[in-house]
Amino acid sequence: MKFRTWHKVLVLASLSVMLSACTLPFTKGDAPDEPVASITDSASLEASQNETSASPSSEEGSEESSTIASTIQKPDPVKPIEGITSPAVMYFVDKNSELTGVQVDLAAHTLTAENLMDRLLAGVSEEEKAEGYSSKIPEGTKLNSIQMKETIAVVDLSSEFAAQGDDASMKMRVSQVVNTLSQIYGVEAVSFQIDGKEVEKLGGIELSGPQTAAMWPVDL
């Protein structure tokens, strides 16, 4: 009988300990069926709060970046090659009747022997005329063709080039052509043709064979 009594006491004591252990997670006043916030939920809440608090600074950073970008000086757009000019020299006669070089600006991509001749045959501009410049090349002279044979520029001009004028005028017009073309790299001499035929004489001026700038100095 005593053994059974003590056995009951031990059983009851064990049950009491188990019940007290089950109630440990709850504090006074907590309902047993209330959910306990998990660690994951707590971390999510903290991250959300941090994101919210960081939002204004992000906007400020964006505005600051925009302000800095607006103050950066942008480079000028690349200038197209069509707009780039290069100086060239046209040989005209000045008011003292002396041959002289007049600087003009031509498009860089058209700085060729043919374009130099076209500009020379066009004569002086109104501004150049006002400064006393003129050309001994007759108006209406046309460039039929210009070809390079090694270092010689073969210039074929229309018949107007050989018309009118005395020997002094003929010398001037030949010198205008030779000196203008000689500024082009690779051109060492000029050979003249009139409407496809080689010129041996221009008026009373001997003109057979290639003509160099040294043969036709500017101070004629």
Side-chain angles (χ1 to χ4, degrees), residues 12-44:
L12 290 172
S14 299
L15 289 172
S16 176
V17 172
M18 292 174 64
L19 288 172
S20 63
C22 291
T23 60
L24 283 177
F26 303 100
T27 58
K28 186 177 179 180
D30 289 338
D33 56 348
E34 284 186 2
V36 179
S38 66
I39 295 176
T40 304
D41 293 339
S42 178
S44 299

Side-chain angles (χ1 to χ4, degrees), residues 93-142:
V93 180
D94 65 16
K95 57 186 176 182
N96 297 319
S97 298
E98 295 179 354
L99 195 66
T100 186
V102 179
Q103 183 172 307
V104 298
D105 290 324
L106 298 178
H109 70 288
T110 63
L111 198 58
T112 63
E114 183 175 359
N115 287 314
L116 283 180
M117 280 302 302
D118 285 339
R119 175 63 179 84
L120 181 65
L121 297 179
V124 296
S125 65
E126 291 299 323
E127 182 179 354
E128 291 162 349
K129 187 182 293 185
E131 293 177 358
Y133 294 109
S134 62
S135 176
K136 291 298 182 180
I137 299 175
E139 290 186 12
T141 301
K142 297 178 179 60

Side-chain angles (χ1 to χ4, degrees), residues 175-188:
S175 185
Q176 280 184 256
V177 173
V178 173
N179 282 283
T180 296
L181 289 179
S182 293
Q183 69 187 294
I184 297 178
Y185 178 79
V187 176
E188 296 182 3

Side-chain angles (χ1 to χ4, degrees), residues 162-207:
Q164 308 170 357
D166 54 17
D167 289 352
S169 176
M170 296 294 180
K171 288 181 180 180
M172 282 289 191
R173 65 186 71 174
V174 170
S175 185
Q176 280 184 256
V177 173
V178 173
N179 282 283
T180 296
L181 289 179
S182 293
Q183 69 187 294
I184 297 178
Y185 178 79
V187 176
E188 296 182 3
V190 177
S191 179
F192 287 86
Q193 292 182 355
I194 298 296
D195 291 332
K197 295 180 180 181
E198 187 175 346
V199 178
E200 295 183 356
K201 279 189 176 183
L202 193 65
I205 306 301
E206 189 72 25
L207 206 61

